[in-house]
């Protein structure tokens, strides 16, 4: 991402080393990182401790996200072009693409995968504290997050029990448990009460998108989970009042708690 910016600054009369430093500063500001005193980017190393190394890994992860090689190459090219003349990422579309991916990075899994990979190679490393910089970007950026899971009012089988409006449902009638998931998101619904999947629409098969995680040890709570991109929809019914705990993106606390009340 530095290359086009460095070339532009040199053409404007700046010395190479100064242009390099300016380009690095400009890129780090996109992610709300303060460069203070770090080495040039080509000397940074994601397998060593240090603030600059942590920034490099965080930027790399935000850019990579769950993109294919081709998608990543296109993104890097577009950012490089955008920041060439003023050092600022002016495209809100590109900025939104960055925050949409950053929000769903599983930093614990990333750290474990990196440590395992280096261990398999027989290399002793110290992965830098990249997690705080990903959090800094998510908490500080002005780019708009748009990759929200949505909950339609209706599903294929009737009113959606996950919608954000209704809470009264007719006892014994069929309903949907439906959501639309952007790429890279996950959703889990934990419930108590007699919430039953209707026959003829098997759980865990491709026509639902939901996996049944079964009851917990108390046999009181049961959970369903999905990570399928697009629409998921399960046909179900219930006879008693039910409480739903709705968890997005493997969060430990629910984004919503919803009470369903039956009506005869």
């Amino acid at each position: 991402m530095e290359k086009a910016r460095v070339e532009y600054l040199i053409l404007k009369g700046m010395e190479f080393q100064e242009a390099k430093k300016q380009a690095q500063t400009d890129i780090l500001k996109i992610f709300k990182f303060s460069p203070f005193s770090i080495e040039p980017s080509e000397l940074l190393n994601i397998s060593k401790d240090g603030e600059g190394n942590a920034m490099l890994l965080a930027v790399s992860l935000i850019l990579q996200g769950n993109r294919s090689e081709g998608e990543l190459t296109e993104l890097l090219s577009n950012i490089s072009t955008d920041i060439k003349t003023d050092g600022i990422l002016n495209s809100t579309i590109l900025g939104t693409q960055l925050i949409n991916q950053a929000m769903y990075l599983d930093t614990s899994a990333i750290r474990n995968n990196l440590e395992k990979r280096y261990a398999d190679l027989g290399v002793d490393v110290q992965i830098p504290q990249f997690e705080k910089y990903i959090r800094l970007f998510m908490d500080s950026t002005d780019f708009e997050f748009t990759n929200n899971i949505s909950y339609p009012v209706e599903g294929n089988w009737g009113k959606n029990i996950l919608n954000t409006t209704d809470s009264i449902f007719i006892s014994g009638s069929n309903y949907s448990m439906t959501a639309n998931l952007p790429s890279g998101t996950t959703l889990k619904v934990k419930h108590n009460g007699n919430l039953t999947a209707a026959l003829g629409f098997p759980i865990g098969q491709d026509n639902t998108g939901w996996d049944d995680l079964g009851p917990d040890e108390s046999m009181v709570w049961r959970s369903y989970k999905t990570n399928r991109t697009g629409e998921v929809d399960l046909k179900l019914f219930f006879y008693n009042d039910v409480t739903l705990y709705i968890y997005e993106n493997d969060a430990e606390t629910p984004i919503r708690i919803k009470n369903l009340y039956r009506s005869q």
Side-chain angles (χ1 to χ4, degrees), residues 18-57:
E18 186 182 359
K20 277 277 295 172
K21 185 175 182 180
Q22 182 62 53
Q24 184 183 65
T25 298
D26 293 336
I27 289 171
L28 292 177
K29 283 183 177 179
I30 294 172
F31 301 92
K32 300 298 184 179
F33 302 165
S34 298
F36 46 92
S37 179
I38 66 173
E39 294 181 303
S41 54
E42 62 270 19
L43 299 180
L44 299 176
N45 188 334
I46 66 169
S47 68
K48 294 183 178 180
D49 197 15
E51 298 303 315
N53 298 328
M55 292 180 193
L56 172 65
L57 183 51

Side-chain angles (χ1 to χ4, degrees), residues 129-153:
Q129 299 299 311
F130 67 91
E131 296 92 341
K132 66 181 179 181
Y133 286 107
I134 291 176
R135 173 53 57 188
L136 175 62
F137 174 60
M138 292 191 295
D139 291 343
S140 305
T141 186
D142 297 323
F143 299 133
E144 182 182 5
F145 174 67
T146 62
N147 219 24
N148 293 298
I149 298 173
S150 62
Y151 303 94
V153 174

Side-chain angles (χ1 to χ4, degrees), residues 66 179-185 209 226-232:
N66 66 350
N180 289 303
L181 283 76
S183 175
T185 60
T226 182
N227 60 358
R228 186 171 77 175
T229 300
E231 182 185 85
V232 293

Side-chain angles (χ1 to χ4, degrees), residues 21 25 28 32 49 62 68 81 95 98 120 125 149 173 178 180 186 200 207 227-228 250 255 261:
K21 185 175 182 180
T25 298
L28 292 177
K32 300 298 184 179
D49 197 15
I62 293 167
S68 67
T81 300
L98 295 177
D120 290 344
V125 300
I149 298 173
S173 297
T178 186
N180 289 303
T186 65
N207 56 349
N227 60 358
R228 186 171 77 175
D250 297 315
I255 190 171
Y261 303 102

